[in-house]
Amino acid sequence: MTERRNYREAALSFGAVAAEYDRGRPGYPDELFDTVERLWGRALKGARVLDVGAGTGIATRLLAARGADVVAVEPSDGMAARFLLSSPALPLVRGDGDDLPFHDASADLITYAQAFHWTHPERSVPEAIRVLRPGGAVATWWNVQDETVPWVRARGRRMAAALPDRYHGYGGISAHTAHFAPAGLAVERAVLRWERRLTVEHLLTDLTSRSYLASLGPEERAPVLAAEREAVLAEFPDGVVVEPFVLDVTVAVKRG
Ligand SMILES: C[S@@+](CC[C@H](N)C(=O)[O-])C[C@H]1O[C@@H](n2cnc3c(N)ncnc32)[C@H](O)[C@@H]1O
């Protein structure tokens, strides 16, 4: 019970840092959406898409720009409020991937951008299968920190040392997709690499929105952020960071 409550608190801790989340987090390159279309074998344009765990709408806006008929689904009050500020023209439904508030066979694609690991797959996978039309798909993706790059690996080590009970790294995050094939879905996967250039302050805004820091109070967070500012400036003295990502994409199709 305690574990379940803590999990729920961590999952919803984003609400308190929704503005930082929206400003700081990386977006997704166009190549991601090309890859989803290729793995699915269908176009996003005109597809009925549910973007579950939509947060502040970072992926929802990009899906809409690709012509998808997208509805955002978000359980957190804070994230939903930020979504309405950032994306007032897009529809948002309050809901949870473990219990989708949609009819059977009503969607072509269910996307989880950086969000599927917050669901309970024993519930969210059957829910997705129920709501998808035949030939529809679930697409999950994560921007994983590229720890083949030394400064990124060093940052992970600093987080693990500063927050041993909270920081568990990003290795294995996509293992959550192991539930798709046993449920009868046809699974395809791709791994993309991309990078963004940003200021150190922007990078710290992103860090503030990470669940392992978001779930701390501002006083506990401050020394971790100060140490991080110093370490990143030592690596990038001109204050412009090049941050690499591995984008891990899975598309799981409901057979027709
Ligand atoms: C890391 S954020 C991703 C936000 C957005 N999709 C993006 O790409 O930036 C994870 C989101 O999942 C939401 N979430 C947490 N538990 C969830 C659940 N069981 N079902 C759906 N979303 C959930 C959180 O509130 C948060 O907005």
Side-chain angles (χ1 to χ4, degrees):
M1 192 64 193
T2 307
E3 192 187 319
R4 172 101 180 105
R5 196 179 59 239
N6 290 345
Y7 177 86
R8 187 93 193 133
E9 280 167 9
L12 298 181
S13 64
F14 295 111
V17 290
E20 288 83 357
Y21 191 106
D22 205 31
R23 278 205 311 277
R25 288 296 183 106
Y28 306 105
D30 271 353
E31 199 189 348
L32 164 67
F33 300 100
D34 297 339
T35 301
V36 169
E37 290 183 330
R38 180 173 59 78
L39 297 180
W40 184 23
R42 286 176 59 177
L44 287 166
K45 191 170 168 55
R48 178 61 159 176
V49 180
L50 308 179
D51 184 32
V52 185
T56 63
I58 294 174
T60 321
R61 292 189 285 275
L62 295 169
L63 287 160
R66 295 285 294 223
D69 171 18
V70 61
V71 176
V73 182
E74 173 54 47
S76 147
D77 293 342
M79 292 299 249
R82 187 77 212 174
F83 181 101
L84 294 173
L85 281 177
S86 307
S87 315
L90 293 175
L92 168 70
V93 170
R94 303 301 307 283
D96 184 316
D98 293 336
D99 185 15
L100 288 170
F102 295 92
H103 293 299
D104 296 0
S106 57
D108 297 311
L109 183 68
I110 297 178
T111 53
Y112 278 97
Q114 219 91 349
F116 188 66
H117 59 296
W118 290 116
T119 72
H120 297 86
E122 67 280 7
R123 302 220 299 268
S124 58
V125 174
E127 271 298 83
I129 292 171
R130 178 184 67 76
V131 168
L132 284 172
R133 299 177 178 134
V138 190
T140 64
W141 60 81
W142 287 270
N143 268 323
V144 179
Q145 299 182 0
D146 185 354
E147 297 215 335
T148 63
V149 175
W151 80 265
V152 177
R153 195 163 56 245
R155 176 175 62 185
R157 280 199 297 265
R158 287 193 298 275
M159 288 300 123
L163 305 164
D165 300 333
R166 289 169 190 268
Y167 181 81
H168 305 297
Y170 291 80
I173 201 167
S174 60
H176 296 264
T177 60
H179 295 263
F180 291 148
L185 299 171
V187 181
E188 299 282 349
R189 182 166 172 232
V191 175
L192 314 174
R193 287 178 184 274
W194 72 289
E195 59 186 33
R196 64 172 176 168
R197 301 175 77 81
L198 70 172
T199 64
V200 172
E201 290 313 313
H202 190 169
L203 190 75
L204 294 174
T205 301
D206 177 340
L207 196 58
T208 305
S209 78
R210 300 278 159 181
S211 55
Y212 40 89
L213 279 172
S215 53
L216 294 177
E219 311 77 37
E220 289 172 287
R221 217 185 285 152
V224 181
L225 291 174
E228 205 49 30
R229 177 180 286 108
E230 195 176 317
V232 177
L233 275 171
E235 188 69 34
F236 297 97
D238 66 356
V240 179
V241 179
V242 179
E243 187 178 31
F245 294 102
V246 176
L247 185 44
D248 195 325
V249 192
T250 297
V251 174
V253 181
K254 176 174 171 175
R255 293 178 170 90

